[in-house]
Amino acid sequence: MASAAEQLAANMNFGALAKATELKKRIWFTLGALVIYRLGTYIPIPGIDTAIFATIYQNQAQGGVLDIFNAFSGGALERMTIFALNIMPYISASIIMQLLTAVSPQIEALKKEGEAGRKKINQYTRYGTVVLAAVQAFGIAKGLETLGGTGQSAVIEPGLFFQLSTVITLTGGTIFLMWLGEQITQRGVGNGISLIIFSGIVANLPIALAQAFSLGQTNALAILVPVSAVAIIAFIVFVERAHRRIIVQYPKRQVGNKMFGGEASHLPMKLNVAGVIPPIFASSLLLMPLTAAGFSGGAGPEWLNWVVANLGRGSPGYLLIFSALIIFFAFFYTSIVFNPEDTADNLKKHGGFIPGIRPGKNTATYLEFVLNRLTVVGACYLALVCLVPEMVSAEFSVVTFYFGGTSLLIIVSVTMDTVGQIHSHLLAHQYEGLIKKSKLKGRRG
């Protein structure tokens, strides 16, 4: 039997959007913020010759880890603009804070303090973002001074002033995007950080599609790329919506002459708890030696040249290690974001229990057993989604990250989350309308 909320959601019509004034304001604010972000991806940093840098990037960085970062930045890295670092330092700082939460009792205690602790952790994350952005910006500044092509340098006037201005510009761009993402989350629709990455990937999809078709030698590519992309997207939607529902029972309790509780609820556990983090980590770690070899021009150490020769994208060794890294990071990250012992303690505090399982340690053991089984399936799903595009790219000699599994995972996940929030706003608006109508009827009666 569907609940009243489910029945209302099933009958919900997007025609109600015209009456939802608050939701329209949020959507317009989100679109305006994303337009500002996209404009910033075309403003180059001071002191850089964009034409020379574009030539160097195409010759040396294509297909490496910089290609992944460029996709996340919406092409800002390829154009070396003020948003070249994008929001990646903030994501790295957030992941580091999550890792520290698992190993540091002090930060774990902050997490349990509620809203006050969450604000402190967010503040530490911001400080970490500034530090990481400054370090990465300095590395980019030093790297740009060493780049050259056709006898010319990518930097107009190398030196301390260029390094300082680059660090300030790129760090400021990351801090602005961090602030913009928080504003979208608070005043717009969806998760602001995710939407910034999403808009960067989607903005370059038409160009990537045209490049894929231009590189194809037969008409098979023109059919296979969109068909495989649609099939993978449908598969991602199906799996991302999959949950394992664990029944949770709450005991009855008597207060005075009335009986409360006794209802049954469920604890939803996603099939893919780790999200898109495992493919991102695996891609970055595996492509770093390939990128380093590309910048060294083959003059690096012997072991690095051997790695490039035997672990090229699409090779059996690359696919095997890539899938192994994805599975490893899926288990590793899941163990960080979901703690069965904390969940079991929370259920015990609120009087909830799983039928047939004793509260406390037995509940934690059962949840860990279920979580491990779900993670096995989720890790295999992530590996499959990421390997199929890699094999297609290797078969047709098309190297593009925009049709990779990680990009498709981000696009689908962010779209589902944003649409879900829009549905929630529309649902709340319809509830408000029903309440107002009931009050008017009550007054007339």
Side-chain angles (χ1 to χ4, degrees), residues 392-404:
V392 172
S393 298
E395 179 68 24
F396 292 94
S397 300
V398 178
V399 180
T400 175
F401 181 75
Y402 297 97
F403 297 106

Side-chain angles (χ1 to χ4, degrees), residues 40 67 128 197 218 322 402 409 417:
D67 197 21
I197 300 177
T218 63
F322 188 34
Y402 297 97
L409 279 169
D417 178 63

Side-chain angles (χ1 to χ4, degrees), residues 374-442:
L374 292 177
T375 306
V376 170
V377 180
C380 294
Y381 145 74
L382 289 175
L384 179 63
V385 167
C386 293
L387 289 182
V388 170
E390 289 289 342
M391 290 186 289
V392 172
S393 298
E395 179 68 24
F396 292 94
S397 300
V398 178
V399 180
T400 175
F401 181 75
Y402 297 97
F403 297 106
T406 307
S407 295
L408 295 179
L409 279 169
I410 293 174
I411 291 173
V412 173
S413 300
V414 175
T415 302
M416 291 175 61
D417 178 63
T418 305
V419 172
Q421 290 201 23
I422 293 176
H423 271 267
S424 299
H425 283 288
L426 287 176
L427 188 62
H429 176 73
Q430 289 188 341
Y431 267 129
E432 291 176 0
L434 290 175
I435 292 173
K436 290 179 181 179
K437 288 180 180 180
S438 63
K439 287 183 178 179
L440 289 176
K441 289 181 180 180

Side-chain angles (χ1 to χ4, degrees), residues 165-384:
S165 64
T166 301
V167 170
I168 295 175
T169 302
L170 293 181
T171 304
T174 297
I175 295 173
F176 175 78
L177 288 182
M178 179 179 64
W179 174 82
L180 189 66
E182 292 177 350
Q183 294 301 309
I184 293 175
T185 303
Q186 295 175 4
R187 303 171 59 184
V189 178
N191 182 283
I193 303 300
S194 300
L195 282 173
I196 288 175
I197 300 177
F198 168 84
S199 62
I201 295 175
V202 171
N204 286 322
L205 274 179
I207 299 176
L209 187 62
Q211 291 176 349
F213 288 160
S214 65
L215 292 174
Q217 301 297 323
T218 63
N219 292 330
L221 181 64
I223 300 174
L224 184 60
V225 169
V227 170
S228 60
V230 171
I232 292 175
I233 289 174
F235 180 60
I236 293 174
V237 172
F238 175 78
V239 176
E240 291 296 327
R241 290 174 60 89
H243 289 79
R244 168 73 158 85
R245 294 189 174 188
I246 299 177
I247 298 176
V248 177
Q249 187 74 35
Y250 291 92
K252 294 182 179 180
R253 55 190 177 90
Q254 186 172 357
V255 180
N257 296 326
K258 294 184 178 180
M259 189 71 68
F260 295 92
E263 71 275 4
S265 181
H266 66 271
L267 176 66
M269 297 180 66
K270 288 188 63 176
L271 188 62
N272 178 28
V273 180
V276 298
I277 298 299
I280 294 175
F281 276 15
S283 301
S284 302
L285 188 62
L286 191 55
L287 292 177
M288 274 184 181
L290 303 181
T291 303
F295 277 114
S296 65
E302 187 64 26
W303 67 268
L304 186 61
N305 296 329
W306 182 88
V307 169
V308 174
N310 293 274
L311 295 180
R313 293 191 67 175
S315 65
Y318 175 88
L319 297 177
L320 180 62
I321 297 178
F322 188 34
S323 58
L325 287 174
I326 290 176
I327 294 173
F328 168 76
F329 282 119
F331 277 92
F332 177 74
Y333 194 70
T334 299
S335 65
I336 295 175
V337 298
F338 188 92
N339 192 327
E341 294 183 359
D342 290 345
T343 305
D345 290 340
N346 291 331
L347 288 176
K348 187 176 181 180
K349 289 178 182 178
H350 293 86
F353 64 94
I354 300 174
I357 307 295
R358 296 185 63 181
K361 184 178 180 181
N362 290 346
T363 300
T365 302
Y366 176 75
L367 291 177
E368 185 176 4
F369 170 73
V370 174
L371 182 64
N372 289 335
R373 295 179 65 183
L374 292 177
T375 306
V376 170
V377 180
C380 294
Y381 145 74
L382 289 175
L384 179 63

Side-chain angles (χ1 to χ4, degrees), residues 90-165:
Y90 177 79
I91 295 176
S92 300
S94 300
I95 294 172
I96 291 174
M97 287 303 300
Q98 289 181 342
L99 294 174
L100 291 177
T101 303
V103 298
S104 173
Q106 291 82 3
I107 299 180
E108 186 178 4
L110 280 178
K111 185 179 179 181
K112 295 180 179 180
E113 288 182 3
E115 184 66 19
R118 187 183 65 84
K119 288 182 179 180
K120 289 183 180 179
I121 292 178
N122 288 340
Q123 194 66 24
Y124 294 153
T125 304
R126 295 188 185 101
Y127 293 150
T129 301
V130 174
V131 173
L132 289 177
V135 171
Q136 293 179 18
F138 180 74
I140 288 178
K142 296 293 289 185
L144 288 173
E145 290 181 337
T146 61
L147 291 179
T150 64
Q152 294 178 305
S153 174
V155 180
I156 299 175
E157 294 183 4
L160 181 62
F161 180 78
F162 170 76
Q163 296 172 11
L164 184 61
S165 64

Side-chain angles (χ1 to χ4, degrees), residues 27-101:
I27 292 176
W28 281 115
F29 180 85
T30 302
L31 293 177
L34 294 179
V35 168
I36 293 175
Y37 158 66
R38 290 302 303 162
L39 290 176
T41 60
Y42 288 91
I43 303 176
I45 64 174
I48 188 77
D49 191 319
T50 55
I52 296 178
F53 177 78
T55 303
I56 297 172
Y57 181 90
Q58 292 296 329
N59 293 335
Q60 297 185 359
Q62 195 71 15
V65 70
L66 292 183
D67 197 21
I68 298 177
F69 294 154
N70 183 60
F72 286 148
S73 66
L77 181 62
E78 183 179 7
R79 295 183 286 270
M80 195 47 65
T81 66
I82 59 175
F83 292 156
L85 289 179
N86 201 260
I87 205 68
M88 297 307 293
Y90 177 79
I91 295 176
S92 300
S94 300
I95 294 172
I96 291 174
M97 287 303 300
Q98 289 181 342
L99 294 174
L100 291 177
T101 303

